[in-house]
Amino acid sequence: MLAIIGGSGLTQLSTLEISRREVVRTPYGEPSGALTFGVLNGAPVVFLARHGYGHTIPPHQVNYCANLWALKQAKVSAIVSVASVGGIRADFAPGTLVVPDQIIDYTWGRKSTYFEDADKPVHHIDFTEPYDAKLRQRVLAAAAAAGEHVFDGGVYAATQGPRLETAAEINRLERDGADLVGMTGMPEAALARELDLPYAALNVVANYAAGRSASEHGIQFDSIELVLQEAMIRVRRVLEHVSKA
């Protein structure tokens, strides 16, 4: 069964035939919300809103450990993360869909591993390729089947939030090799790896990153909302094909 974690702009799947909702308790506290089970394009899926169903949980306060553990308990076979991002690379304009292949982690203070208690041995994961290769190809194939253009590859910079970045910070991220900037990619991807859950991301460029827009008025939040509304329609088409793949 496929799991979909929705971020900003995807608090629900309008085409999901809901069968039940389940409130889950985990050893790591409560997840962001109830798990929503249902059928998407004839295939069983479970959906979780990363920021809560009322979008009330900021990125740095998401209980990533509980979210991933809850999905593991639900016996999902793979996770597709949907998240909005800022575009650093010039061709990653607002509305662009990207399936990233690398991550740079700039977050701090977040619980980022299941293996840090005194009674647990140190556990190292191979994070050379942070996204599951087969699942990435599945998402790319689904996009092609849906007739939606997506970019194959990109370096995702995970920042702390909840504020957006300064222009100087974006310049630094670009020098580091980042193409996209978001606030929720880590530790989510690493926790999925610790739980042996295949994980891939479908990023939606909501706006140009700070200092990258031609606008003299900075980032326009009204425009972001309009971009996400249109882009999420396309994301849902892709997800419908991922679910049946």
Side-chain angles (χ1 to χ4, degrees):
M1 177 172 57
L2 177 71
I4 298 167
I5 302 178
S8 300
L10 192 69
T11 56
Q12 60 181 348
L13 280 168
S14 57
T15 52
L16 178 66
E17 300 174 22
I18 298 173
S19 58
R20 63 188 172 93
R21 291 185 173 89
E22 183 178 332
V23 175
V24 179
R25 301 284 185 264
T26 82
Y28 303 94
E30 295 187 4
S32 296
L35 301 184
T36 301
F37 294 83
V39 176
L40 184 64
N41 201 17
V45 298
V46 57
F47 178 80
L48 175 63
R50 182 185 289 111
H51 299 285
Y53 288 90
H55 204 271
T56 57
I57 308 172
H60 66 296
Q61 292 183 341
V62 171
N63 191 337
Y64 297 96
C65 286
N67 284 352
L68 274 296
W69 194 270
L71 294 175
K72 180 73 171 182
Q73 286 184 167
K75 296 181 171 31
V76 304
S77 57
I79 299 172
V80 173
S81 160
V82 178
S84 61
V85 297
I88 299 175
R89 214 168 85 185
D91 55 343
F92 284 178
T96 300
L97 303 184
V98 184
V99 180
D101 62 344
Q102 279 295 329
I103 296 174
I104 305 175
D105 187 10
Y106 300 93
T107 64
W108 50 269
R110 303 181 182 189
K111 184 173 175 60
S112 57
T113 179
Y114 293 107
F115 299 91
E116 62 181 4
D117 297 330
D119 61 338
K120 295 178 180 177
V122 175
H123 180 75
H124 299 287
I125 56 171
D126 181 356
F127 211 50
T128 306
E129 302 295 334
Y131 301 105
D132 182 81
K134 289 183 179 178
L135 186 56
R136 284 191 71 257
Q137 291 304 314
R138 180 176 164 186
V139 175
L140 292 167
E148 298 292 348
H149 178 263
V150 300
F151 279 86
D152 178 3
V155 178
Y156 175 107
T159 58
Q160 180 70 2
R163 69 167 178 84
L164 299 181
E165 300 73 30
T166 69
E169 287 170 332
I170 294 300
N171 288 340
R172 174 202 174 192
L173 299 185
E174 184 176 45
R175 289 193 298 271
D176 286 351
D179 303 306
L180 307 157
V181 58
M183 302 174 187
T184 59
M186 288 293 288
E188 195 172 86
L191 292 170
R193 181 65 52 85
E194 285 190 350
L195 294 176
D196 292 322
L197 287 172
Y199 178 95
L202 178 58
N203 289 160
V204 180
V205 180
N207 57 279
Y208 283 112
R212 293 297 183 268
S213 172
S215 171
E216 298 178 356
H217 305 290
I219 293 172
Q220 303 298 302
F221 289 95
D222 291 344
S223 299
I224 289 176
E225 186 63 30
L226 292 174
V227 168
L228 287 178
Q229 287 178 9
E230 187 278 332
M232 288 305 165
I233 295 172
R234 297 162 54 214
V235 167
R236 292 185 187 101
R237 293 194 193 109
V238 175
L239 293 176
E240 287 173 2
H241 284 78
V242 174
S243 66
K244 70 175 184 179

